[in-house]
């Protein structure tokens, strides 16, 4: 019993995925000692990129651009796909056509710095499982039963990873209250 209990894991999506990514970092081109950028670090990097690109920071407000990148990541919309998406068309309409290029540079700079932001902890886990079936199978076996609490606050990326881990065996239990959804600004979707 004690051995089985020791195999239990729990935590937030971000903390569980950070542990997975540290263990498997080499499979996705990172070192296991990668840095995790907080919101301030992310916004600072976006601000620097906007400055380097000589863009008007009143049009390309760093916080707004960083939030846009975050929302794209939470929808698993990577820079190359972003460039041809309705999101980029919306940016053009809002007279910010360079957001896609900022996003691309942002991702390149994070990789060069061996860094991930909070959203990358989701994105990179999704990509790890998507691109490496052996790794996905390893974690399907490790997480043979999955419980997601506060399910009303999961976003698209989190939902897709839950599906990656549970689609074969279907052993997932979710608990949530649609009246308590508070993370729509981060892409949480009660649907």
């Amino acid at each position: 019993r004690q051995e089985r209990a020791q195999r239990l894991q729990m935590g937030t999506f971000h903390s569980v995925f950070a542990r997975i990514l540290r263990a498997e970092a080499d499979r996705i081109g990172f070192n296991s000692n990668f840095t995790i950028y907080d919101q301030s670090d992310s916004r600072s990097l976006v601000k620097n990129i906007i400055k380097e690109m000589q863009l008007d920071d009143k049009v390309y407000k760093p916080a707004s651009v960083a939030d846009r990148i975050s929302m794209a990541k939470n929808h698993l919309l990577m820079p190359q796909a972003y460039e041809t998406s309705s999101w980029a068309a919306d940016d053009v309409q809002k007279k910010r056509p360079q957001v896609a290029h900022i996003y691309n540079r942002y991702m390149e700079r994070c990789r060069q710095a061996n860094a991930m932001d909070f959203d990358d902890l989701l994105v990179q886990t999704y990509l790890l499982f998507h691109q490496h079936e052996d790794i996905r199978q390893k974690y399907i076996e490790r997480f043979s039963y999955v419980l997601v609490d506060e399910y009303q606050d999961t976003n698209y990326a989190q939902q897709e990873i839950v599906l990656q881990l549970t689609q074969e065996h279907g052993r997932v239990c979710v608990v949530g209250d649609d009246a308590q959804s508070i993370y729509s600004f981060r892409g949480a979707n009660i649907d």
Side-chain angles (χ1 to χ4, degrees):
R1 290 180 193 247
Q2 187 172 356
E3 178 189 317
R4 289 176 65 197
Q6 288 175 332
R7 292 191 334 227
L8 284 174
Q9 289 191 20
M10 64 185 215
T12 64
F13 279 111
H14 293 85
S15 68
V16 171
F17 298 161
R19 284 193 300 265
I20 290 171
L21 290 169
R22 291 210 188 274
E24 312 293 347
D26 61 319
R27 297 293 294 269
I28 54 171
F30 284 87
N31 294 323
S32 62
N33 64 341
F34 60 83
T35 301
I36 300 174
Y37 286 172
D38 64 15
Q39 185 180 49
S40 175
D41 296 324
S42 296
R43 287 185 176 182
S44 179
L45 178 54
V46 167
K47 185 177 181 176
N48 289 339
I49 292 168
I50 290 168
K51 190 174 185 174
E52 289 167 11
M53 292 177 68
Q54 299 177 342
L55 299 171
D56 183 352
D57 64 3
K58 290 179 181 39
V59 174
Y60 293 90
K61 296 177 180 162
S64 296
V65 173
D67 290 347
R68 183 77 166 171
I69 291 169
S70 174
M71 192 63 76
K73 286 181 178 186
N74 284 311
H75 285 85
L76 298 175
L77 190 59
M78 301 309 295
Q80 296 74 18
Y82 186 101
E83 289 178 20
T84 58
S85 72
S86 61
W87 292 52
D90 183 56
D91 292 336
V92 169
Q93 196 172 45
K94 291 180 179 172
K95 309 234 186 294
R96 309 181 307 181
Q98 296 298 315
V99 171
H101 298 295
I102 296 167
Y103 182 13
N104 193 45
R105 282 195 189 187
Y106 177 84
M107 293 296 286
E108 288 172 357
R109 296 280 291 278
C110 285
R111 188 166 290 277
Q112 289 168 358
N114 193 40
M116 295 184 198
D117 61 25
F118 285 126
D119 301 312
D120 286 325
L121 297 176
L122 305 176
V123 169
Q124 295 298 336
T125 300
Y126 173 81
L127 293 173
L128 174 70
F129 293 159
H130 183 71
Q131 296 168 355
H132 301 280
E133 182 61 21
D134 60 322
I135 300 294
R136 187 177 78 87
Q137 288 299 323
K138 172 181 170 181
Y139 287 97
I140 284 173
E141 290 173 24
R142 184 169 296 169
F143 300 120
S144 55
Y145 295 89
V146 175
L147 167 67
V148 181
D149 193 15
E150 302 296 343
Y151 191 70
Q152 74 276 1
D153 288 327
T154 58
N155 63 33
Y156 178 75
Q158 293 164 332
Q159 172 62 25
E160 288 299 305
I161 298 166
V162 169
L163 289 173
Q164 285 177 314
L165 291 171
T166 62
Q167 64 190 358
E168 282 91 352
H169 58 66
R171 292 186 298 261
V172 60
C173 177
V174 299
V175 180
D177 180 351
D178 60 356
Q180 293 186 19
S181 183
I182 59 172
Y183 286 108
S184 61
F185 70 95
R186 279 198 187 150
N189 183 344
I190 192 65
D191 296 326

